[in-house]
Amino acid sequence: MNYENLLITVENRIGTITINRPTKLNALNKTTILDLHHAIKDLGKNKEVRVIILTGSGEKAFVAGADISEFSNYTIAEGTDLAAEGQSKLFDYIENLKKPVIAAINGFALGGGLELAMACHFRIASDNAKMGLPETSLGLIPGYGGTQRLPQLVGKGRAMEMIMTAGMITAEEALSYGLVNRVVPQVELLPVCADIAQKIIKNAPIAIAKAIKSVNANYEDGKNGFEVEIKSFGKCFGTVDFTEGTTAFLEKRKAEFTGK
């Protein structure tokens, strides 16, 4: 499928999505959000893909926010629908995807861009990256999950400060906050993400999916994460991958997982 604002590659079982709106610093608009939904859905169903890497084109920006020109005249109802639709189709969708999604933050990740990165399962940043949620400087608040995911990652106090000051933090600050897992030179960003992806690919796909579900359950209202973990743990015993993994361990050989 061809996308207006995305570049898609599949190599070595890794699907890479590059948001490609360089003249807009890869800002999110409705078309791009919808394209991302379909691209991630397609890669999620692709049996040849085990890990997805999400990044931005160029050396300046991952995603420098939402496209403000698109919603500057919205009403209350339209603004509410914008946030609800975006969260459902993209941000929550990524968070709950059964395959790992790694955000390769290659520059500015602001507003919706940082929210997009936070929806991914974890984040690697280049050393020139800068991150922030500037919405309050526009008379808004983060609407794509930023007020929820940022405190989960950095703690309530730091999240409050970042949101209320509308300021940016450096990649090193983001690392110290726990917002990103690693900071690397920009030239090494995608190779490092690919290396991490290959380490994930060596493991059982169903177990990875169950782990994602179990970790996420801790942050969902009405869910008992421990109960989800127990049930998910038990279900792993019924998989071919469990038999292969334990047999390979006992036979002192490398496991060959099939995702069954």
Side-chain angles (χ1 to χ4, degrees):
M1 184 173 178
N2 293 321
Y3 297 102
E4 183 178 338
N5 299 317
L6 304 179
L7 303 174
I8 313 290
T9 62
V10 175
E11 186 176 1
N12 298 323
R13 312 208 77 175
I14 301 170
T16 301
I17 302 174
T18 304
I19 301 167
N20 188 37
R21 298 186 75 207
T23 60
K24 297 286 187 178
L25 293 179
N26 304 322
L28 295 178
N29 59 5
K30 281 188 171 182
T31 299
T32 306
I33 286 174
L34 189 60
D35 280 356
L36 281 167
H37 167 77
H38 288 303
I40 291 166
K41 185 176 182 179
D42 288 346
L43 291 176
K45 292 180 177 179
N46 187 336
K47 294 181 179 180
E48 296 304 310
V49 173
R50 295 273 292 276
V51 177
I52 298 169
I53 296 173
L54 182 59
T55 194
S57 64
E59 298 180 352
K60 292 183 178 180
F62 171 72
V63 172
D67 195 334
I68 297 169
S69 63
E70 195 172 63
F71 59 78
S72 59
N73 295 316
Y74 271 22
T75 64
I76 292 173
E78 288 171 327
T80 302
D81 289 344
L82 179 71
E85 187 174 358
Q87 287 194 32
S88 175
K89 283 187 175 177
L90 183 58
F91 299 85
D92 292 348
Y93 190 83
I94 290 174
E95 184 174 65
N96 294 301
L97 198 73
K98 292 181 178 180
K99 294 180 182 180
V101 182
I102 304 170
I105 304 174
N106 57 306
F108 290 110
L110 304 175
L114 181 55
E115 290 173 300
L116 180 62
M118 290 192 293
C120 296
H121 297 112
F122 57 90
R123 290 144 292 284
I124 311 297
S126 59
D127 52 12
N128 68 314
K130 291 188 177 180
M131 288 157 251
L133 295 175
E135 285 88 346
T136 58
S137 70
L138 301 172
L140 292 170
I141 66 168
Y144 288 143
T147 65
Q148 306 304 300
R149 293 190 178 98
L150 186 61
Q152 292 172 8
L153 291 165
V154 308
K156 182 178 178 180
R158 281 189 169 133
M160 287 287 198
E161 180 182 352
M162 287 180 65
I163 292 168
M164 286 191 257
T165 63
M168 290 188 293
I169 61 173
T170 66
E172 289 297 336
E173 287 174 314
L175 180 63
S176 70
Y177 286 8
L179 183 53
V180 301
N181 289 36
R182 305 187 194 185
V183 175
V184 300
Q186 189 169 60
V187 68
E188 296 178 16
L189 179 61
L190 289 179
V192 166
C193 289
D195 181 64
I196 295 171
Q198 288 302 328
K199 291 177 181 177
I200 294 171
I201 288 167
K202 292 178 182 178
N203 300 316
I206 294 175
I208 295 293
K210 296 296 185 188
I212 291 171
K213 181 179 180 180
S214 298
V215 172
N216 283 346
N218 183 56
Y219 300 98
E220 294 181 37
D221 288 339
K223 289 284 184 73
N224 183 315
F226 291 100
E227 289 182 359
V228 173
E229 179 186 278
I230 289 167
K231 290 178 182 178
S232 296
F233 177 78
K235 288 179 180 178
C236 288
F237 282 78
T239 65
V240 174
D241 279 352
F242 167 72
T243 302
E244 167 62 13
T246 52
T247 302
F249 177 81
L250 294 171
E251 294 178 352
K252 298 182 179 180
R253 63 174 174 81
K254 182 180 177 182
E256 296 293 337
F257 295 115
T258 59
K260 297 180 181 178

mmCIF file of all heavy atoms in Angstrom, residues 147-171:
data_model
loop_
_atom_site.group_PDB
_atom_site.id
_atom_site.type_symbol
_atom_site.label_atom_id
_atom_site.label_comp_id
_atom_site.label_asym_id
_atom_site.label_seq_id
_atom_site.Cartn_x
_atom_site.Cartn_y
_atom_site.Cartn_z
ATOM 1 N N THR A 147 -0.941 13.605 29.023
ATOM 2 C CA THR A 147 -1.118 13.837 30.465
ATOM 3 C C THR A 147 -1.156 12.525 31.246
ATOM 4 O O THR A 147 -1.023 12.531 32.473
ATOM 5 C CB THR A 147 -2.416 14.622 30.763
ATOM 6 O OG1 THR A 147 -3.557 13.825 30.380
ATOM 7 C CG2 THR A 147 -2.444 15.953 30.032
ATOM 8 N N GLN A 148 -1.328 11.414 30.547
ATOM 9 C CA GLN A 148 -1.387 10.112 31.202
ATOM 10 C C GLN A 148 -0.064 9.364 31.100
ATOM 11 O O GLN A 148 0.439 8.817 32.090
ATOM 12 C CB GLN A 148 -2.509 9.265 30.588
ATOM 13 C CG GLN A 148 -3.870 9.942 30.590
ATOM 14 C CD GLN A 148 -4.304 10.381 31.986
ATOM 15 O OE1 GLN A 148 -4.440 9.558 32.880
ATOM 16 N NE2 GLN A 148 -4.504 11.686 32.166
ATOM 17 N N ARG A 149 0.511 9.318 29.917
ATOM 18 C CA ARG A 149 1.727 8.522 29.727
ATOM 19 C C ARG A 149 2.972 9.201 30.281
ATOM 20 O O ARG A 149 3.874 8.519 30.780
ATOM 21 C CB ARG A 149 1.915 8.202 28.239
ATOM 22 C CG ARG A 149 0.844 7.264 27.694
ATOM 23 C CD ARG A 149 1.149 6.750 26.292
ATOM 24 N NE ARG A 149 0.087 5.827 25.870
ATOM 25 C CZ ARG A 149 -0.938 6.160 25.107
ATOM 26 N NH1 ARG A 149 -1.045 7.402 24.646
ATOM 27 N NH2 ARG A 149 -1.862 5.279 24.791
ATOM 28 N N LEU A 150 3.052 10.521 30.200
ATOM 29 C CA LEU A 150 4.256 11.193 30.702
ATOM 30 C C LEU A 150 4.457 10.961 32.197
ATOM 31 O O LEU A 150 5.567 10.607 32.622
ATOM 32 C CB LEU A 150 4.220 12.688 30.368
ATOM 33 C CG LEU A 150 5.503 13.455 30.711
ATOM 34 C CD1 LEU A 150 6.700 12.906 29.933
ATOM 35 C CD2 LEU A 150 5.337 14.948 30.432
ATOM 36 N N PRO A 151 3.431 11.110 33.050
ATOM 37 C CA PRO A 151 3.630 10.813 34.470
ATOM 38 C C PRO A 151 4.019 9.352 34.730
ATOM 39 O O PRO A 151 4.787 9.071 35.659
ATOM 40 C CB PRO A 151 2.276 11.139 35.108
ATOM 41 C CG PRO A 151 1.617 12.081 34.167
ATOM 42 C CD PRO A 151 2.083 11.679 32.800
ATOM 43 N N GLN A 152 3.499 8.444 33.924
ATOM 44 C CA GLN A 152 3.861 7.038 34.080
ATOM 45 C C GLN A 152 5.353 6.827 33.852
ATOM 46 O O GLN A 152 5.980 5.992 34.510
ATOM 47 C CB GLN A 152 3.067 6.173 33.093
ATOM 48 C CG GLN A 152 1.573 6.088 33.381
ATOM 49 C CD GLN A 152 0.808 5.391 32.270
ATOM 50 O OE1 GLN A 152 1.405 4.827 31.343
ATOM 51 N NE2 GLN A 152 -0.508 5.428 32.341
ATOM 52 N N LEU A 153 5.915 7.601 32.937
ATOM 53 C CA LEU A 153 7.310 7.417 32.558
ATOM 54 C C LEU A 153 8.285 8.225 33.414
ATOM 55 O O LEU A 153 9.368 7.742 33.753
ATOM 56 C CB LEU A 153 7.498 7.791 31.075
ATOM 57 C CG LEU A 153 6.840 6.845 30.079
ATOM 58 C CD1 LEU A 153 6.776 7.477 28.705
ATOM 59 C CD2 LEU A 153 7.592 5.520 30.021
ATOM 60 N N VAL A 154 7.917 9.455 33.780
ATOM 61 C CA VAL A 154 8.882 10.333 34.453
ATOM 62 C C VAL A 154 8.468 10.722 35.866
ATOM 63 O O VAL A 154 9.235 11.373 36.577
ATOM 64 C CB VAL A 154 9.160 11.608 33.616
ATOM 65 C CG1 VAL A 154 9.552 11.259 32.195
ATOM 66 C CG2 VAL A 154 7.962 12.559 33.621
ATOM 67 N N GLY A 155 7.254 10.351 36.267
ATOM 68 C CA GLY A 155 6.756 10.748 37.581
ATOM 69 C C GLY A 155 5.885 11.987 37.489
ATOM 70 O O GLY A 155 6.000 12.800 36.561
ATOM 71 N N LYS A 156 5.014 12.149 38.470
ATOM 72 C CA LYS A 156 4.015 13.224 38.446
ATOM 73 C C LYS A 156 4.646 14.605 38.468
ATOM 74 O O LYS A 156 4.261 15.491 37.693
ATOM 75 C CB LYS A 156 3.071 13.062 39.641
ATOM 76 C CG LYS A 156 1.964 14.100 39.700
ATOM 77 C CD LYS A 156 1.046 13.849 40.895
ATOM 78 C CE LYS A 156 -0.040 14.907 40.998
ATOM 79 N NZ LYS A 156 -0.925 14.671 42.166
ATOM 80 N N GLY A 157 5.619 14.827 39.334
ATOM 81 C CA GLY A 157 6.197 16.160 39.477
ATOM 82 C C GLY A 157 6.874 16.647 38.214
ATOM 83 O O GLY A 157 6.645 17.782 37.773
ATOM 84 N N ARG A 158 7.716 15.809 37.630
ATOM 85 C CA ARG A 158 8.405 16.206 36.401
ATOM 86 C C ARG A 158 7.423 16.390 35.258
ATOM 87 O O ARG A 158 7.575 17.298 34.438
ATOM 88 C CB ARG A 158 9.466 15.166 36.043
ATOM 89 C CG ARG A 158 10.740 15.310 36.875
ATOM 90 C CD ARG A 158 11.837 14.413 36.362
ATOM 91 N NE ARG A 158 13.102 14.744 36.986
ATOM 92 C CZ ARG A 158 13.935 13.855 37.499
ATOM 93 N NH1 ARG A 158 13.601 12.573 37.491
ATOM 94 N NH2 ARG A 158 15.091 14.226 38.026
ATOM 95 N N ALA A 159 6.410 15.524 35.203
ATOM 96 C CA ALA A 159 5.395 15.662 34.154
ATOM 97 C C ALA A 159 4.649 16.982 34.292
ATOM 98 O O ALA A 159 4.424 17.695 33.304
ATOM 99 C CB ALA A 159 4.416 14.490 34.204
ATOM 100 N N MET A 160 4.260 17.322 35.513
ATOM 101 C CA MET A 160 3.574 18.591 35.755
ATOM 102 C C MET A 160 4.440 19.768 35.311
ATOM 103 O O MET A 160 3.958 20.708 34.657
ATOM 104 C CB MET A 160 3.228 18.724 37.241
ATOM 105 C CG MET A 160 2.089 17.831 37.711
ATOM 106 S SD MET A 160 0.490 18.417 37.109
ATOM 107 C CE MET A 160 -0.611 17.544 38.236
ATOM 108 N N GLU A 161 5.714 19.717 35.641
ATOM 109 C CA GLU A 161 6.616 20.808 35.260
ATOM 110 C C GLU A 161 6.739 20.919 33.751
ATOM 111 O O GLU A 161 6.648 22.020 33.179
ATOM 112 C CB GLU A 161 7.996 20.591 35.875
ATOM 113 C CG GLU A 161 8.987 21.700 35.527
ATOM 114 C CD GLU A 161 10.364 21.457 36.110
ATOM 115 O OE1 GLU A 161 10.541 20.515 36.914
ATOM 116 O OE2 GLU A 161 11.277 22.227 35.751
ATOM 117 N N MET A 162 6.940 19.794 33.076
ATOM 118 C CA MET A 162 7.087 19.823 31.619
ATOM 119 C C MET A 162 5.833 20.346 30.937
ATOM 120 O O MET A 162 5.910 21.146 29.996
ATOM 121 C CB MET A 162 7.421 18.419 31.097
ATOM 122 C CG MET A 162 8.837 17.969 31.393
ATOM 123 S SD MET A 162 9.174 16.298 30.745
ATOM 124 C CE MET A 162 9.025 16.575 28.968
ATOM 125 N N ILE A 163 4.665 19.900 31.412
ATOM 126 C CA ILE A 163 3.408 20.315 30.785
ATOM 127 C C ILE A 163 3.104 21.780 31.077
ATOM 128 O O ILE A 163 2.708 22.537 30.178
ATOM 129 C CB ILE A 163 2.254 19.410 31.254
ATOM 130 C CG1 ILE A 163 2.434 17.996 30.697
ATOM 131 C CG2 ILE A 163 0.899 19.979 30.821
ATOM 132 C CD1 ILE A 163 1.531 16.955 31.319
ATOM 133 N N MET A 164 3.304 22.213 32.317
ATOM 134 C CA MET A 164 2.929 23.580 32.695
ATOM 135 C C MET A 164 3.899 24.636 32.187
ATOM 136 O O MET A 164 3.488 25.758 31.885
ATOM 137 C CB MET A 164 2.768 23.667 34.207
ATOM 138 C CG MET A 164 1.498 23.011 34.709
ATOM 139 S SD MET A 164 1.161 23.405 36.438
ATOM 140 C CE MET A 164 1.662 21.878 37.214
ATOM 141 N N THR A 165 5.189 24.278 32.062
ATOM 142 C CA THR A 165 6.152 25.259 31.534
ATOM 143 C C THR A 165 6.163 25.266 30.016
ATOM 144 O O THR A 165 6.627 26.226 29.401
ATOM 145 C CB THR A 165 7.578 24.964 32.030
ATOM 146 O OG1 THR A 165 7.995 23.680 31.542
ATOM 147 C CG2 THR A 165 7.653 25.013 33.550
ATOM 148 N N ALA A 166 5.665 24.182 29.409
ATOM 149 C CA ALA A 166 5.667 24.024 27.948
ATOM 150 C C ALA A 166 7.074 24.040 27.375
ATOM 151 O O ALA A 166 7.266 24.320 26.193
ATOM 152 C CB ALA A 166 4.804 25.098 27.274
ATOM 153 N N GLY A 167 8.067 23.740 28.216
ATOM 154 C CA GLY A 167 9.455 23.800 27.780
ATOM 155 C C GLY A 167 9.946 22.499 27.168
ATOM 156 O O GLY A 167 9.262 21.474 27.184
ATOM 157 N N MET A 168 11.156 22.564 26.629
ATOM 158 C CA MET A 168 11.783 21.398 26.033
ATOM 159 C C MET A 168 12.903 20.893 26.938
ATOM 160 O O MET A 168 13.517 21.663 27.672
ATOM 161 C CB MET A 168 12.378 21.742 24.660
ATOM 162 C CG MET A 168 11.352 22.001 23.584
ATOM 163 S SD MET A 168 12.106 22.186 21.941
ATOM 164 C CE MET A 168 13.013 23.725 22.144
ATOM 165 N N ILE A 169 13.150 19.588 26.871
ATOM 166 C CA ILE A 169 14.291 19.007 27.562
ATOM 167 C C ILE A 169 15.211 18.356 26.531
ATOM 168 O O ILE A 169 14.778 17.986 25.433
ATOM 169 C CB ILE A 169 13.869 17.969 28.624
ATOM 170 C CG1 ILE A 169 13.110 16.801 27.994
ATOM 171 C CG2 ILE A 169 13.033 18.631 29.712
ATOM 172 C CD1 ILE A 169 12.820 15.651 28.960
ATOM 173 N N THR A 170 16.482 18.234 26.879
ATOM 174 C CA THR A 170 17.449 17.616 25.983
ATOM 175 C C THR A 170 17.345 16.098 26.046
ATOM 176 O O THR A 170 16.688 15.531 26.929
ATOM 177 C CB THR A 170 18.868 18.025 26.365
ATOM 178 O OG1 THR A 170 19.176 17.479 27.667
ATOM 179 C CG2 THR A 170 19.020 19.538 26.399
ATOM 180 N N ALA A 171 18.032 15.451 25.136
ATOM 181 C CA ALA A 171 18.046 13.992 25.132
ATOM 182 C C ALA A 171 18.638 13.453 26.425
ATOM 183 O O ALA A 171 18.141 12.470 26.990
ATOM 184 C CB ALA A 171 18.836 13.478 23.925
#
